[in-house]
Amino acid sequence: MLRGLAILAVVVVVLQCCELPRRTDGRCVLFNFGDSNSDTGSLPAAYGFYLGPPAGRRFFHRTTGRWSDGRLYIDFIAESLGISYLSPYLESSGSNFTDGVNFAVAGAAAASNQSAIPFPMATQVEDAVRALYGAGGRKFWVYNTGPLGCLPQTLALRQKPGDEVDPVGCLAAYNTAARALNAGLAAACRRLADEYGRGERVDRATVVCTDMYAIKYDLFANHSQYGFERPLMACCGNGGPPYNYVNLKTCGQPTATACPEGERYVSWDGVHYTEDANTIVASKILSGDFSEPCAKLDALCT
């Protein structure tokens, strides 16, 4: 079960590495690591993969390599910090690395044997927080994985007769596995925070762990308060209710269609989130209410 979950793995955000030049204007330098939930175009840049319409139809009004109809949560975080959108590291044309860089790649898994994409988390961050700390990183923001049992793709392709679903309609086994993974990650975060939070000031690091599972599960469980009508159904896909997801007839293919613009959906294509959902996710990340210790992201820029 965990092998199947690893494609949507943890995300690590690093702020202002100490060995890099300091900003004089008080703004953050942001380094993002992750998968398609925060990939701003690395996969198309690396493989020439064309992520066509209707992706990007909102805000950008064109395709940008983002797996959404518009902005991702990392875009909203950049906006809130007053920095430019992060250019993908693998994009050689028109990139701007002034405010940082985005190493996230769609399809990245937790380990190299869990995906056909040769940019797993281990490759992106070379054994993660410890290696970055050794390179001068002192401020880390770590997200856990979301409720994969609530994704339309998971429900459409993995659900079997008799499988337990929770009161929201999500596959219980997949969410249980995700929570187990997150429990281990939370323990690791606490150990890292304790280990790197001591010693001389120049050696001290801040490690903030954010519960992305809780943030995203809330979108499904309390969808009506956010104006979402069909939380388990993809906006762009094929097949109609309940999930609008059919394998090989997915968003971007001629056999798929998108919901009318203006309708509010949690899921864009059955796997990734809409701009409306990403707006809420970003606001909750930035609030600090879902983080341990409770801290606002912009506070790490000082």
Side-chain angles (χ1 to χ4, degrees), residues 43-183:
L43 190 65
Y47 287 96
F49 177 85
Y50 179 61
L51 183 60
R57 70 180 186 179
R58 289 190 59 182
F59 186 75
F60 299 105
H61 306 295
R62 59 182 176 84
T63 59
T64 64
R66 288 167 170 80
W67 299 79
S68 179
D69 59 335
R71 288 165 286 185
L72 309 177
Y73 69 82
I74 193 67
D75 295 316
F76 289 109
I77 287 174
E79 287 180 3
S80 73
L81 296 176
I83 63 176
S84 60
Y85 297 133
L86 297 182
S87 293
Y89 174 70
L90 296 172
E91 177 58 71
S92 60
S93 176
S95 296
N96 177 7
F97 300 135
T98 303
D99 295 316
V101 61
N102 192 355
F103 293 96
V105 183
S112 58
N113 65 344
Q114 293 172 328
S115 172
I117 303 300
F119 303 105
M121 293 297 291
T123 297
Q124 291 183 41
V125 296
E126 299 182 349
D127 296 332
V129 174
R130 292 184 186 279
L132 288 164
Y133 177 86
R138 292 296 180 268
K139 298 178 181 180
F140 304 89
W141 203 279
V142 184
Y143 308 143
N144 62 21
T145 197
L148 304 183
C150 299
L151 298 179
Q153 182 198 57
T154 304
L155 289 161
L157 300 184
R158 306 297 182 189
Q159 189 173 9
K160 299 179 179 61
D163 282 352
E164 180 185 357
V165 295
D166 68 13
V168 178
C170 306
L171 275 177
Y174 279 79
N175 281 352
T176 296
R179 290 194 299 271
L181 184 151
N182 290 341

Side-chain angles (χ1 to χ4, degrees), residues 152 156 232-246 249 257-259 265 269-270:
L232 302 180
M233 182 171 165
C235 165
C236 182
N238 185 288
Y243 308 124
N244 197 36
Y245 190 94
V246 175
K249 296 183 179 180
T257 57
C259 62
Y265 280 69
D269 57 7

Side-chain angles (χ1 to χ4, degrees), residues 211-261:
D211 192 353
M212 186 70 87
Y213 182 98
I215 291 174
K216 289 185 173 179
Y217 189 78
D218 182 56
L219 295 177
F220 298 100
N222 300 299
H223 59 275
S224 59
Q225 78 176 57
Y226 301 112
F228 299 120
E229 294 184 4
R230 293 182 282 268
L232 302 180
M233 182 171 165
C235 165
C236 182
N238 185 288
Y243 308 124
N244 197 36
Y245 190 94
V246 175
N247 198 28
L248 304 180
K249 296 183 179 180
T250 52
C251 189
Q253 298 186 15
T255 51
T257 57
C259 62
E261 290 196 59

